[in-house]
Amino acid sequence: MAGKQEPEVIVKDLSGDPDEIVEIESMCMNCHENGMTRMLPTKIPFFRSVMVSSFSCDHCNYRNTELLQLGDLQPKGIKISVIIKTKQDLNRQLVITPSALVKIPDVDLDIPSSKGNLTTAEGILQNTMDDLKLEQPVRRITDPENAAKIDEFIARLQRLKDLEAPFTITVDDPSGNSFVENPNAPRKDEQMTITHYKRSKEQAEALGYQVEEDKSADDDVEKPEEVVTFQVQCPNCHASCETRMKQVSIPHFKEVIIMATSCEKCGVRENEVKCGAGVEPKGRRIVLKITDPTDLSRDVLKSDMAAVRIQELDFQTEEGTLGGKFTTLEGLLTDIKNQLQGGTSFVMGDSAVAGRRNRLGDFVNELDQVITGKRLNVHIELDDPSGNSYLQNFYAPDPDPEMVTTEYERNYEQNELLGLNDMKTEGYEED
């Protein structure tokens, strides 16, 4: 029996800069003749760099596409739910890792992933229907009752594909590396909900990570003033490089841990911030009105849970986007700009992308005006449910006339995101 052929609706032609595409002649697993594997690194907006591997065989027309180098294990798992309403929604790109579980609750469908995959919402439906159809001729002879049920289920999937009614796709990935495209970027996607969660011990072990028990002794704890250096893998070129970690006290705030990674081979420089004091009793919202170019030199501590909003540009990141950072306000805005510019080469869905690229280009130009200090009276907001973000007050210890800091009670969803709903801190009896 001939092997399964992947439907071409999943991804588009991997056209791009020829210098970036690596072509390797390799054996086709369907007909065992020689085919061609093309590997293309690409940047996904508000996500990261991935490697798209596309195999094609001219002898039997077999096609196969998968994603490589999906990144290291993220600090938390991720669950993404998106409502599919329009043809544009069917064209949304999805990055699915081997650890992800894709669900379509409307038809009680669970799809475990077996490999990294770059697909679309429509591609998920089409792939599932093709898988089910593959053995139907045999089933109709050997098991006609189940074959009839599968035909009925395929018809239900086809109705979803035809958008007879809205439906929901959910991607649950303990590794935290899956992604669903926001076609309205940089604006918030009202049809998509993203939740980060603490993975269980079983999930971590399934990902191949050994979970160590907490140590009661503090012999291995470094002193705050010491810099700890250890070897890690470069997130860009995967060569061995150094990460330096140091505890730093921020005036008028708290102590944090700064981790800086530098790679001599490819030159990449990254820093990450972890708050050592845990989650604050309340969330914190900081709003600064930029009235002078010097405001861009203010120090910013953005925790890995904080969202960034720019009211005048109608821009908002999701909670957890960009990770934890200790930089300046100019540096934070530049990181957002680089994320957008780095993703303009990423080919979107089957529909035309000129309009979306124009929107991104216009937004980057407006953001650049803010970064260079040419556009003032813009409000920058940090909304952090963990309460661990900070924006420098030039007038400290007096109040800053251009900055408003508000503490608020977290809602249930925010506590769930922080893993607080399952913690019991009251009602214990002493022995």
Side-chain angles (χ1 to χ4, degrees), residues 51-311:
M51 181 73 71
V52 181
S53 172
S54 176
F55 175 82
S56 61
C57 177
D58 293 335
H59 299 278
C60 66
N61 293 321
Y62 176 76
R63 299 288 186 271
N64 184 35
T65 302
E66 61 180 305
L67 253 62
L68 306 175
Q69 300 179 5
L70 289 174
D72 298 329
L73 187 73
Q74 299 303 304
K76 293 188 176 183
I78 190 170
K79 183 176 181 180
I80 310 170
S81 293
V82 59
I83 302 173
I84 306 299
K85 296 181 178 180
T86 65
K87 178 63 178 177
Q88 184 185 34
D89 292 328
L90 284 174
N91 289 331
R92 287 175 184 256
Q93 294 281 356
L94 288 85
V95 175
I96 308 296
T97 77
S99 62
L101 176 65
V102 179
K103 297 183 179 182
I104 305 180
D106 302 75
V107 291
D108 296 324
L109 176 63
D110 291 358
I111 312 172
S113 180
S114 60
K115 65 176 183 178
N117 195 11
L118 172 62
T119 182
T120 63
E122 183 177 7
I124 289 176
L125 294 173
Q126 186 64 56
N127 240 5
T128 303
M129 288 190 289
D130 289 343
D131 287 344
L132 293 172
K133 291 176 182 178
L134 191 62
E135 302 294 335
Q136 278 297 81
V138 176
R139 287 194 196 98
R140 291 191 180 99
I141 298 172
T142 60
D143 192 354
E145 183 178 349
N146 279 332
K149 292 180 180 178
I150 291 175
D151 281 335
E152 182 182 348
F153 188 76
I154 292 173
R156 294 176 65 188
L157 294 178
Q158 184 63 49
R159 287 194 290 272
L160 295 184
K161 186 180 173 184
D162 294 338
L163 290 175
E164 292 186 6
F167 65 96
T168 301
I169 292 180
T170 298
V171 181
D172 192 339
D173 184 4
S175 78
N177 282 316
S178 288
F179 169 83
V180 176
E181 175 197 350
N182 171 9
N184 300 314
R187 295 178 176 84
K188 183 178 180 180
D189 192 335
E190 299 296 339
Q191 293 172 216
M192 187 159 61
T193 303
I194 300 177
T195 304
H196 298 270
Y197 61 86
K198 183 178 180 181
R199 65 181 64 87
S200 66
K201 179 181 177 182
E202 291 74 17
Q203 288 173 324
E205 290 175 345
L207 292 168
Y209 288 81
Q210 183 177 359
V211 181
E212 297 182 356
E213 300 295 333
D214 293 337
K215 297 180 180 180
S216 58
D218 59 356
D219 296 338
D220 296 331
V221 178
E222 302 291 341
K223 296 179 181 179
E225 65 272 13
E226 292 183 347
V227 177
V228 180
T229 303
F230 51 92
Q231 294 293 314
V232 297
Q233 190 180 58
C234 174
N236 183 50
C237 70
H238 302 286
S240 179
C241 62
E242 285 189 347
T243 289
R244 294 177 174 85
M245 182 173 66
K246 180 178 175 60
Q247 187 169 313
V248 176
S249 179
I250 299 179
H252 307 289
F253 190 52
K254 62 173 68 175
E255 291 185 340
V256 298
I257 297 172
I258 298 179
M259 303 174 67
T261 301
S262 60
C263 178
E264 295 183 356
K265 184 173 181 179
C266 68
V268 72
R269 298 287 187 271
E270 289 190 351
N271 72 77
E272 186 177 2
V273 176
K274 299 291 184 183
C275 295
V279 178
E280 293 295 311
K282 294 184 177 181
R284 177 178 290 115
R285 184 178 295 109
I286 308 170
V287 181
L288 171 70
K289 181 180 180 182
I290 299 178
T291 58
D292 188 272
T294 58
D295 286 328
L296 295 165
S297 65
R298 293 175 184 251
D299 289 333
V300 177
L301 171 63
K302 176 196 171 298
S303 84
D304 55 3
M305 301 305 301
V308 181
R309 298 189 182 96
I310 307 176
Q311 299 175 15

